[in-house]
Every structure is written in structure tokens, then in C-alpha cells.
Amino acid sequence: MIFRGFQSRLILLFVAVLALLQLTTLIAVRLAGERRLDDEVPRQLSQANEVFDERLQSQRRELGNFVRVLASEFAFREALALGDQPTIESALANHQGRVSADAAYLLELDGSVTASTVDSPGSTTSFPFPELLNGASGEPGTSALVTFEGSPHQVVVVPVLAPNPIYYVASLFAVDDEVLSVVPLQTSWDATIWSGDLTSATKTASSIPPDELPTLLDRVSAVPYGEIVDLQETPFLAMRRLLDTGDGSEISLLLVRSITDVRSSQRQLEWSIFLLSMLALAFALLAAVAVARGVSRPLLELSHAAGRIERGDYARPIEVSGGEEIRRLTTAFNSMKEGIASREQQIRFQATHDELTRLPNRAHLLDQLASHIANARRLDRVAIMIMLDINRFKEINDTLGHQTGDLLLREIGGRLENLLGEDHTVARLGGDEFAVAFVGDASDEWDVVPRRIQQAFDEPFELEGAMVEVTASQGVAIFPKDGDDEETIMMRADIAMYQAKRNHEPFVLYHPGQDQHSLRRLAMVSQLRTAIAGDELQLFYQPKMRIADRSIVGVEALVRWQHPVHGMLPPGEFIPIAEQSGNISAITRWVLARAIRDIASLSERVSLPKGVAVNLSALDFFDDNLVGLISHHLEEHGLPPALLTLEITESAIMQDPPRSIRTLERLAELGVVLAIDDYGTGYSSLSNLTRLPAHELKIDRSFVMHLSDGPSQDHVVVRSTVDLGHAMGMEVVAEGVEDEEIIEVLASFGCDLAQGYAIARPIPLAELLPYLERPKATAQ
Ligand code: C2E
Ligand code: CA
Ligand code: CA
């Protein structure tokens, strides 16, 4: 916008200057034209006068010659000597006719007329211009301009010599149109001549055509003598001059000149200058536009280029054509752009790459993985992520030194990059962890790349002369199978990688459930062993109440882990880990021993008819020593078997029903009470249930907790479960009893026992005795 304004301003300036220039030229031409007219007119005028005067002179000379011929003619002189009147008269007439004179006279020396060709009366008696005779006695005679018969004439008087003058011969010639015609021929002026006052002049002679003359003369009366006058309303200049006459009469010469031609040629000149100006202006306009463009376009382009740089587009080179300055500016711009671009690239590279191997770092890998996932989604393919960890890298680092360790990491990075194509992202995540991400065809071909990577590691690495054997563990996770975002995929590849490490496998594909092997859990596994041995486990006891009389009849032992770092952990956090890592039996043994010991000592002080309940997990059924162990502990602490309840979940039994039933039967034989825990959450069939030697049915807390919310499906389930348990000869326990109202509902259903926060929370042994010893009123 700025440049457009700049452009038009430049053009305007250009054109304005030129227009001004043209205008001044035009004015100058006009003034010059006027001045030329003013200068030239007088000069031309005097020239016209000269031509006119010269014409008169030549006419006189000519006439003089003719008259002298007559005066010296022998026959004429003889007739004069003889006084032969008729011959004299005919000679005069001949002369007149021959030279086309207007009149001819033969005069006595005193001026009286001897003979004449003039018929008019009076003229025959006297010569009209006697004063001329005085100067005519000499040889050439005399001549003058005179008014004769009302119009300008030339008169020539010549003496007849014998040898003294005896007579005069005078001849008169009209100054007529023909005489004047020489003036316009030689000058640009016209001549008009008349005698006396113009208005009363009978005859005018003129070089102007007779039809134009009257209109012109109409305007002349006011013209003063000797001045150049611009005739009003006509393109004429005029000058009137009084001529010298021989008879004292008034004879005027009017010289007129049309200035139409001068004016029109001036106009023509001006017009063509104007046209040329316009043409020049048009050219100037074009030139101005071109120049303005030439100046502003490079600036505009540079400003566009600057805009592009601002937006971070460094790819396009800046190309601006223009003069030397523009070229230099462009070069400066380009080098500035390249400077910015390379610095930015450097910064970006540092932010997204690992300094040691120059491979993409974790952040960059996540970005790349995200785009691989997007591509896979679009192309209906899969995105594969491989997490790779160098085995025993720490050892290599410790024995060969950090520098060698760094060298190895670089070598590994290089080897991976060479092995895999451009479309595979190879990254270093830090330490000895690498990652590869790419778009694959199908998830069942997941092991192709891990296999190739494994082969690449078969070749030993040469590190400063030493050949080092290196292996790697790879974990693979696949989009969309194992998650639909890059974070999840990366996490799961990580989990699979740990699995591979633990199992000493070169590569492992993630499968659901492996999450439990995540780092924290892995750490927990090893910590659990020391926890069991190091007394970090604790038992809490939760009372069970007989609904009918509201007495506390027993407690359930619930384990906790007082973790040195994570604090008190609920069983849900470590029991599954213990089960998976094969540590559960150690826990069960510890709980059994502790619970039996605690309750045995407790039973000496308070009555607890149902004793203590201990939870078993599915894996405990595979512990062949379990039954022996229990009886050993019971005997050791003198606790009657009926005071020990074992809680088993339906799902635990269902893992291997025959085996579970065998174990349960042996336990039942022992005399311990068997309870089916979390009833309602599994899929146990009634037939399975009837085959179990169970004595107690614990309805899962999810059915119980909301009983106080009013009649619902839960009511139906709980009521029918109570009925079912009773029908099979079992006592029914409701767990998750969170308020007093639930107890009332349960009572109405005929449920036997209740357990839950409404009665008591799980509490440590130290608090249990005071709780049980309270006056009965509070228990109620
Ligand atoms: P469970 O056998 O169903 O144990 C009862 C759980 O319900 C306990 O959670 C207890 O704190 C909680 N509970 C008690 N009253 C209420 C109540 O009114 N409302 C609610 N919402 N919850 C109540 P805890 O102690 O976290 O134990 C969780 C599970 O861990 C137990 O469920 C049991 O399956 C398992 N477990 C606990 N101790 C052991 C053990 O020593 N060995 C084995 N194998 N499993 C154990
Ligand atoms: Ca239980
Ligand atoms: Ca339960």
C-alpha cells in the first residue's frame, strides 16, 4: 500500500514537472511569435514603401524616356518650326497612344497650351501644373506625382531644345492598379493609393482585388498617418502615408497586410508544439510509471521477502532485479536471511537432536511418531515403535571408559541409521536407549525390523582397536493395536523392552498386561521380597458383626505394606504384583502366621467365636504345603481350626476348579471355615458352588454399598443371595456396609453377618483389643 502511494506520487511529480515545462515552452513560443510580428512588421513595411517608391521612380524614368524621344523627333520638331498645327496634334496623339499616357501637352515656355490630347474644355487653354515648368528647362526635364482629374498621376515635363528650350512637352500617366501590383508581388503588403479625402476620392488604385477593397477601406478612414494600426475585427495591419506631390495636392498611400497567415502559422506552430507536448507527456507518463515501478517494485519485493522471513519461510531465495543499490540490498537481505535461517536451524537442531549421536531426541521422536501414526491412520497401515536398550552398557562404560562408551553410542546410532531407510526415524532417548519408529504394512510383520537390528548387532563393534560384542533388548509396540497415541505407544514399547531384558530375549512385542511390569512395578517386585523379610508388611483387622445381636464375632485380616518410599500401600497396589512375580505365597504365609498368632493371643482376652479370616489368592492353591503349614500354625498357637476362616474368591477357584476343590476339601477336613469371597463378581455356576465345601458366602460390597438408596436390582440380588446361601447351609456375610440403614435392610433380608465402615474400618491389632473390650452398649 505504502509503495503504491509512493509509486503514484512519483508518477504525479514526474508528470507535473513535465506539464509545467511544456506550458512554459508554449507560453515562450507564443510570446516569441508576438515579438517576431512586432519586430518584423516595421521592417517589412519600410521594404514595402521602398518597393512602391522604386516603382514610381521607374515609371517616371520610363515615361521620361518616351517623352524625350518625342521632343527630339525630327518630324515633330519640323512641324513645330513650321507651326504645322495638325501634324503637331497628331504627333501628340500618336505619342499618347504609343505610351498609353493619359494626356499629353505641348506648351509654350510661359506655360500656355499650344496643343493637347485633352478634350475637356479649359484644359486645352491652360496646363494644370504650371509650377513644374520652372524646373523643367534643363535637359532631362522634370517629373512629379500629381492629382489629375481627381486621381494620382505621374507627370513628366521635358523641354524641346534648339538648343535653348523652345517648347515643353508634358505627359501624364495614371498610377493605376497595374502600377501598384508590383508591391504585393515583392512584399507581403498591398498598396492602395488615392487623392484627397478618402470619402470623397473619386478613384482609388489598389493591388487589392476590387471586391475586397470597399470593406477594407471602410475601416481605414480612422488610420492616422505614419502609424501601424491593427484594423479592428480584421486580421489586418495598416499604415497610411502622405506622399510628396508636385502640385501640392494630397495623395495617400495605404499599405495593408493580412496577418491571418502570420497568426495562423503561429497557431499552427503552437498547436504542433501542444501535440508534441501531449505526446511527450504520454511518454513521460509511461516512463514515470516504469521508473516508479523500477524504484518501488524492488522495495515492495524486499518487503514481501522480509515478511516471508518473519513467517519463518527461508526456503525461497530473494530475487529482486534493479540497480546497483537494489542488487546490494538484495545480497544483504539474502545473507541476512541465510544467517537467520542457519542460526534458527542450529537452534532447532539442538532442541530436537541429541548432541552426541546427532540423532533426533525424545521430543523429536514423539513428534515423528505422532506423524507416523497420522500417516498410518490415513493409509490404513500400522505405526511401529521399537524401543532399544543396550545390554550391559554400564559394564562397557565402566571397563572401557566413558569416551569409549560415547564412541560406542555413536557407532550404534550410525549403524542403525545405515541399516534403516529415510522413512525410519532413528532416535536416541538418552543413556543407552535408542528408538526406531516407522510406518509398517501389517502388525504381524512387526518382527522384521527388530530381526534386522539384531543381525546388525551380531557384528562386533570396533572401539579404538578393541572388538566389543554388544547385544540389545528391543521392545515393540504397534499403533493401533497397542494404543492410539504416541505417548501410549512409546510407554508400551518401553514395557515390552523391559520384558525382553528380563526374559533375555532379543525382542518382545508388547501384549496387554505387561503394563504391570512397568518400572515401578518391577522395582516393587524386588522390594517385596525384602519387605516380607524386613517386617514392612502390617496386618489390619476389620471386625465382622452378627446382625441379630450386633455382637462382633470375628475379624478379617487385611494386609498393608508400609513402603519406605511410597508410604502405606493398600493390597490392591502390590498383591497383583506379588501374584505375577510369584511372591504371593510368601505373603500368604506371612499373613497366616501373623493372623493366627495375633488372634490366638487375642482369644485369651476376648471371646471371638468366628476368629480371624485370611484371604487366599488363586496361586495359593498351587502351594502343596499350604494345608500342612496352616495346621502347623494352628497347632503352634493352640488355635482351634474353627477360629480360622479362609476367604477364597470365585475367580480364584475357577482358574483350576478340580485342584481348588481338592485343596478346599483338605482344608475343610482340617476343620477351618471356608468362605466364598466377592460373591457375585465372578461367573461361578450354581453347580460349582454346590460342590464346594464352603461354609460362608460373602456378598461383594458392590451389591451392598447402595442398599440404602432404596429398592433396586441390588435388593433382589442380595435378598436372593441370602436365601441361596441359607438354602445351601451357609452363613451369609454382607461386606461394604457403609451405614446403619444398610444394616436394617440386611436384617430384613435375614442376612447373618455384616462387615464395613459402618461397623468399623480395618484397624491395627493395637486398636483392636480396646475396640472389642468396649462396653456392649456402644457396639450396639
Ligand atoms: P476384600 O477381601 O474384599 O477385603 C475387603 C476390602 O473392602 C478391604 O480393602 C476393606 O478395607 C474394604 N472395605 C471394608 N469395609 C468397607 C466399606 O464399608 N466400604 C468399602 N468401600 N470398602 C470396605 P483392602 O484392605 O484394600 O483390601 C482389598 C483387597 O485386597 C481385599 O478385598 C482382598 O481381596 C485383598 N487382600 C487384602 N489382604 C490380603 C491378603 O492378606 N492376602 C490376599 N491374598 N489378599 C488380600
Ligand atoms: Ca476378603
Ligand atoms: Ca471381599
Side-chain angles (χ1 to χ4, degrees), residues 556 615 647 649 677-679 698-701 735:
E556 181 180 5
N615 292 282
E647 294 189 4
T649 61
D677 203 352
D678 300 347
Y679 180 77
K698 293 189 79 174
I699 305 172
D700 189 69
R701 59 181 177 274
E735 51 175 12

Side-chain angles (χ1 to χ4, degrees), residues 499 502 512-518 521-522 525 528 573-585 617 619:
Q499 180 80 32
R502 197 172 39 244
Q514 266 181 10
D515 293 51
Q516 320 233 327
H517 296 287
S518 73
R521 284 161 193 264
L522 275 167
V525 170
L528 247 183
E573 290 249 40
F574 60 92
I575 294 290
I577 296 173
E579 284 174 341
Q580 278 157 12
S581 63
N583 286 316
I584 189 65
S585 69
S617 82
L619 288 168

